[in-house]
């Protein structure tokens, strides 16, 4: 069991039943017709799964602070009634929920954005308008009014978003605050804005209301905060009656990965642990925590008082319930792929989860008991075949799965050997566990032939036979030096020192990552050295600069079409793959014939 993780946290005006936080994720549910009703079901399912505290996706306190022109706000009574759908649903399940107040500042995707200074973000096409003092004071009041309305709507508290490079963070850092008035210049002036917001929230909401502040502990951008400054602000926030400090890591414009699958588990918890020693209020650890074992180790080591897991609750809403019942092997682990969550969010689509398609679609996709159980054959033991087999069996069907090879997992067995994609093995582990639980009959080394299928008299046959790599019609394709990516990743062949990879889609980049790996353990020390992260709290913004690497091989990544190689990669992870390979000296050529 997990004694630290499952122990209650007693605060002056609220008791959390355990130390788990469902961290804030913007799902775009609140922006669609009927979205609040859908969001209510989505959050209630996590509350039913026994998570200690839920924090919603970011809700803007004013139009200028919205993520996009149609993003959700909380500014009036009609919006209070909409939010009450969520709080009522969560409380009916015995849960607790806070609303995150988010002002995007220069990160907003609309022309009416404002910021402390008129400096365009490198990830935005819009330039913000510099805020006049009157606008600053109105924004502080807007935060307070938003919190008061959240209390009226039934929320147990609010989280004030002060990290990730959003508006409050933009005031704090000299990188984005070039003002010369009382809201800029010295650090004491630059932190007036967050402190004024906290005081206004307390003034309008009283002391019996949970106030969390998400503080950037590691900006990972030039001219970011220094560690002494971060500690100074944290102590001032404690004096201003903040109940809990949550950990923020990296601005959105930072060129260092912070939550992708290539980031080692619990990579940044040492930073939270260092801050915890400076404060008497609880602190929350965050980023790349995806199992109860990892969470327990953080709490046991006194690196935090609570742990925030966002995407793991997309992957499995029953995460905490299963930990309580000592069924950790049945947890559908988040593999941090970002494909259906963050990639969807930043394209203003409804978020979901690659390993749990019900996430954010709970009102549409129901796994109900079968009215007429059938005898079903599944041809193929990759992720698709295993996903179907266990859901069908859970619904009451009699399922037999045929896999032609000697192992389950299909293409995920290749993906899991890519440096930074080791998490993909967790999906194979999960599906194998739940198939056994629901009595799926697995036949390995058995191809689903017509003779076998007919002899067993199945009612239905589901094909999930995977893919066969396309063999391009190129002169010399049958040469002894030419190999498929499957032979390389499976270890059947070991390429030499000079390698050309034909194709620069996701698999091409994965093969390049595999061949350029340095064969050392993927731990945080190596990760920090590779990306230039300061682990000694000496450099402003937490940056030391990346050192040059000696390539293991000379690799050419060849793309037949024009344009930039890697354009088809994931929106939130593609730049990571490109940056890592360029640092390893991989040549990327487009328009190659």
């Amino acid at each position: 069991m997990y004694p630290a993780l499952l122990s209650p946290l007693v605060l002056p005006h609220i008791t959390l039943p355990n130390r788990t936080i469902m961290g804030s994720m913007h799902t775009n549910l609140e922006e669609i017709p009927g979205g609040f009703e859908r969001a209510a079901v989505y959050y209630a399912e996590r509350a039913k799964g026994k998570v200690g505290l839920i924090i919603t996706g970011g809700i803007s306190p004013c139009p200028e602070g919205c993520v996009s022109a149609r993003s959700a706000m909380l500014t009036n009574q009609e919006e209070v009634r909409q939010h009450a759908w969520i709080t009522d649903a969560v409380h009916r399940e015995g849960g607790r929920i806070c609303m995150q107040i988010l002002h995007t500042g220069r990160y907003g995707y609309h022309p009416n954005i404002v910021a402390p200074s008129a400096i365009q973000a490198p990830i935005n096409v819009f330039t913000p308008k510099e805020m006049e003092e009157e606008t600053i004071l109105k924004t502080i009041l807007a935060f307070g009014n938003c919190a008061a309305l959240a209390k009226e709507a039934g929320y147990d508290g609010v989280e004030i978003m002060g990290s990730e490079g959003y508006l409050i963070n933009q005031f704090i850092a000299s990188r984005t605050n070039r003002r010369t008035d009382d809201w800029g210049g010295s650090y004491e002036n630059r932190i007036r804005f967050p402190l004024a917001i906290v005081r206004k929230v307390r003034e309008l909401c009283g002391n019996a209301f949970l106030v969390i502040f998400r503080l950037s502990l590691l900006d990972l951008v030039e001219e970011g905060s220094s560690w002494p400054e971060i500690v100074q602000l944290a102590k001032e926030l404690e004096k201003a009656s903040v109940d809990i400090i949550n950990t923020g890591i990296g601005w959105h414009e930072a060129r260092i990965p912070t939550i992708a699958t290539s980031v080692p588990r619990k990579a940044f918890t040492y930073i939270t642990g260092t801050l915890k020693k400076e404060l008497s209020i609880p602190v929350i650890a965050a980023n790349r925590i995806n199992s109860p074992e990892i969470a327990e180790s953080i709490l046991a080591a006194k690196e935090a008082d609570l742990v925030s897991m966002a995407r793991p609750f997309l992957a499995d809403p029953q995460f905490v319930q299963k930990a309580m019942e000592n069924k950790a092997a049945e947890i559908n682990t988040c593999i941090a792929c970002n494909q259906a969550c963050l990639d969807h969010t930043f394209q203003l689509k409804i978020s979901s989860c690659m390993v749990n398609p019900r996430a954010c679609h709970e009102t549409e996709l129901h796994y109900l008991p079968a009215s007429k159980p059938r005898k079903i054959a599944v041809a193929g033991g990759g992720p698709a075949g295993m996903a179907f087999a266990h859901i069908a069996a859970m619904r009451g069907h009699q399922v037999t799965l045929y896999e032609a090879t000697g192992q389950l997992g299909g293409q995920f067995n290749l993906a899991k050997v890519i440096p930074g994609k080791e998490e993909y093995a967790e999906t194979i582990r999960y599906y194998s566990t739940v198939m056994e639980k629901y009595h799926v009959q697995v036949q390995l080394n058995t191809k689903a032939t017509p003779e076998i299928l007919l002899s067993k008299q199945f009612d239905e046959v589901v094909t999930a036979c995977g893919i066969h790599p396309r063999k391009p019609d190129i002169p010399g394709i049958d040469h002894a030096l030419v190999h498929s990516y499957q032979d390389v990743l499976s270890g059947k062949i070991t390429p030499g020192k000079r390698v050309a990879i034909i194709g620069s889609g996701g698999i091409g980049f994965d093969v390049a990552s595999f061949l350029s790996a340095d064969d050392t353990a993927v731990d945080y020390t190596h990760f920090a050295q590779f990306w230039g992260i300061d682990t000694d709290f000496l450099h402003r913004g937490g940056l030391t600069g990346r050192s040059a690497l000696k390539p293991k091989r000379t690799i050419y990544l060849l793309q037949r079409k024009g344009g930039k190689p890697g354009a088809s990669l994931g929106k939130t992870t593609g730049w990571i793959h490109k940056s890592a390979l360029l640092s390893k000296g991989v040549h990327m050529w487009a328009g190659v014939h």
Side-chain angles (χ1 to χ4, degrees):
M1 296 293 285
Y2 311 98
L5 183 67
L6 300 179
S7 64
L9 178 68
V10 180
L11 296 169
H13 47 275
I14 190 172
T15 296
L16 303 182
N18 56 66
R19 304 304 178 98
T20 61
I21 304 289
M22 176 179 165
S24 176
M25 291 174 287
H26 202 79
T27 63
N28 289 316
L29 282 175
E30 293 90 341
E31 285 78 18
I32 63 173
F36 277 91
E37 292 89 338
R38 286 180 59 173
V41 176
Y42 159 73
Y43 286 121
E45 188 163 300
R46 276 76 191 163
K48 187 176 181 180
K50 307 299 184 184
V51 62
L53 176 68
I54 295 169
I55 302 176
T56 72
I59 303 295
S60 178
C62 57
E64 298 81 15
C66 287
V67 174
S68 68
R70 63 182 181 87
S71 293
M73 297 186 291
L74 182 51
T75 60
N76 57 51
Q77 288 300 313
E78 174 57 30
E79 290 162 354
V80 167
R81 287 188 286 273
Q82 291 177 321
H83 281 268
W85 278 91
I86 293 173
T87 57
D88 288 347
V90 168
H91 291 149
R92 278 195 300 270
E93 297 294 348
R96 295 150 185 80
I97 185 167
C98 288
M99 189 191 80
Q100 185 188 83
I101 307 177
L102 167 67
H103 191 304
T104 57
R106 71 178 192 158
Y107 279 172
Y109 298 131
H110 56 87
N112 299 317
I113 57 175
V114 296
S117 301
I119 304 172
Q120 182 179 355
I123 58 174
N124 202 347
V125 297
F126 299 106
T127 300
K129 179 182 178 182
E130 182 171 315
M131 299 170 72
E132 298 177 353
E133 181 162 21
E134 180 182 3
T135 305
I136 293 174
L137 296 175
K138 285 183 177 178
T139 303
I140 293 168
L141 180 59
F143 269 89
N145 287 335
C146 186
L149 292 172
K151 183 177 181 180
E152 185 178 346
Y155 286 103
D156 299 290
V158 293
E159 178 178 78
I160 299 169
M161 180 47 147
S163 69
E164 264 75 3
Y166 290 116
L167 179 70
I168 293 176
N169 217 169
Q170 293 161 26
F171 266 92
I172 295 169
S174 60
R175 174 185 180 86
T176 43
N177 186 343
R178 303 295 170 83
R179 304 177 71 93
T180 57
D181 61 4
D182 291 343
W183 302 96
S186 68
Y187 188 68
E188 287 70 21
N189 280 358
R190 300 200 307 274
I191 63 175
R192 285 184 64 209
F193 186 66
L195 294 174
I197 288 172
V198 170
R199 294 187 184 109
K200 180 57 67 175
V201 168
R202 274 286 177 234
E203 175 191 335
L204 297 181
C205 297
N207 291 326
F209 190 63
L210 185 61
V211 176
I212 303 170
F213 192 94
R214 189 162 175 179
L215 177 65
S216 182
L217 303 192
L218 191 64
D219 290 339
L220 298 179
V221 292
E222 299 291 342
E223 299 181 85
S225 296
S226 67
W227 182 249
E229 290 173 342
I230 293 166
V231 173
Q232 178 183 341
L233 176 53
K235 290 182 176 180
E236 291 297 324
L237 290 167
E238 181 175 5
K239 292 178 185 176
S241 300
V242 163
D243 294 301
I244 302 173
I245 297 287
N246 197 1
T247 296
I249 300 292
W251 289 29
H252 285 313
E253 64 200 72
R255 295 294 87 185
I256 296 174
T258 56
I259 60 172
T261 190
S262 57
V263 180
R265 290 183 176 185
K266 65 171 186 176
F268 305 106
T269 57
Y270 73 96
I271 303 172
T272 311
T274 304
L275 181 66
K276 176 176 164 57
K277 298 173 184 177
E278 303 282 350
L279 304 173
S280 59
I281 59 175
V283 296
I284 305 172
N287 290 50
R288 289 293 284 122
I289 304 166
N290 65 349
S291 75
E293 291 79 13
I294 293 293
E296 178 72 17
S297 71
I298 294 165
L299 297 170
K302 307 296 183 184
E303 289 185 314
D305 301 283
L306 304 112
V307 289
S308 175
M309 295 173 281
R311 294 167 300 168
F313 286 105
L314 283 178
D316 197 330
Q318 296 179 314
F319 183 104
V320 180
Q321 181 75 52
K322 291 175 181 177
M324 288 178 172
E325 296 173 356
N326 204 24
K327 297 178 180 178
E330 294 181 19
I331 292 175
N332 193 358
T333 304
C334 167
I335 59 175
C337 67
N338 291 0
Q339 292 182 29
C341 52
L342 286 176
D343 281 0
H344 279 199
T345 297
F346 283 100
Q347 296 174 67
L348 302 181
K349 299 178 182 178
I350 296 174
S351 296
S352 189
C353 177
M354 189 176 77
V355 299
N356 176 25
R358 284 196 76 242
C360 299
H361 297 278
E362 289 82 5
T363 61
E364 300 174 330
L365 182 57
H366 303 283
Y367 300 146
L368 303 176
S371 58
K372 182 181 178 182
R374 293 170 177 262
K375 187 177 180 181
I376 301 174
V378 179
M386 292 192 292
F388 175 85
H390 98 268
I391 293 296
M394 181 179 71
R395 296 184 60 212
H397 296 295
Q398 181 183 343
V399 182
T400 302
L401 182 146
Y402 294 95
E403 168 56 41
T405 70
Q407 61 179 341
L408 296 169
Q411 292 282 299
F412 269 32
N413 286 308
L414 301 181
K416 72 183 183 184
V417 304
I418 307 299
K421 285 193 171 182
E422 295 84 0
E423 295 282 17
Y424 281 58
E426 297 289 354
T427 301
I428 302 174
R429 181 268 310 157
Y430 166 72
Y431 283 141
S432 299
T433 300
V434 291
M435 283 199 303
E436 182 178 355
K437 176 180 180 178
Y438 293 111
H439 309 295
V440 175
Q441 298 298 311
V442 176
Q443 302 292 322
L444 297 178
N445 298 305
T446 306
K447 190 173 182 178
T449 64
E451 292 75 17
I452 290 178
L453 298 175
L454 288 170
S455 67
K456 299 293 184 179
Q457 297 182 325
F458 289 105
D459 298 312
E460 309 284 351
V461 176
V462 174
T463 57
C465 298
I467 58 95
H468 295 284
R470 182 167 58 88
K471 192 172 184 179
D473 185 16
I474 299 173
I477 197 70
D478 293 320
H479 194 281
L481 294 181
V482 180
H483 306 281
S484 75
Y485 74 87
Q486 292 174 316
D487 289 340
V488 174
L489 299 181
S490 65
K492 289 183 179 179
I493 68 103
T494 301
K497 294 296 185 181
R498 289 169 53 81
V499 180
I501 301 171
I502 300 175
S504 63
I507 293 177
F509 270 80
D510 277 352
V511 173
S513 297
F514 179 79
L515 294 178
S516 61
D518 61 4
D519 298 326
T520 57
V522 183
D523 58 19
Y524 182 69
T525 299
H526 289 92
F527 175 83
Q529 290 174 347
F530 180 78
W531 289 100
I533 301 173
D534 172 25
T535 58
D536 297 316
F537 305 99
L538 300 176
H539 296 82
R540 183 170 292 278
L543 298 177
T544 60
R546 297 172 67 174
S547 57
L549 296 175
K550 183 179 180 180
K552 178 180 178 180
R553 289 183 171 92
T554 301
I555 299 173
Y556 296 85
L557 192 57
L558 309 178
Q559 176 174 293
R560 284 177 286 178
K561 65 182 179 181
K564 294 182 178 179
S568 64
L569 300 177
K571 185 175 179 65
T572 59
T573 55
W575 66 269
I576 300 172
H577 301 308
K578 288 190 68 174
S579 179
L581 292 183
L582 289 171
S583 295
K584 295 176 180 179
V586 174
H587 305 275
M588 301 181 189
W589 292 358
V592 174
H593 298 278

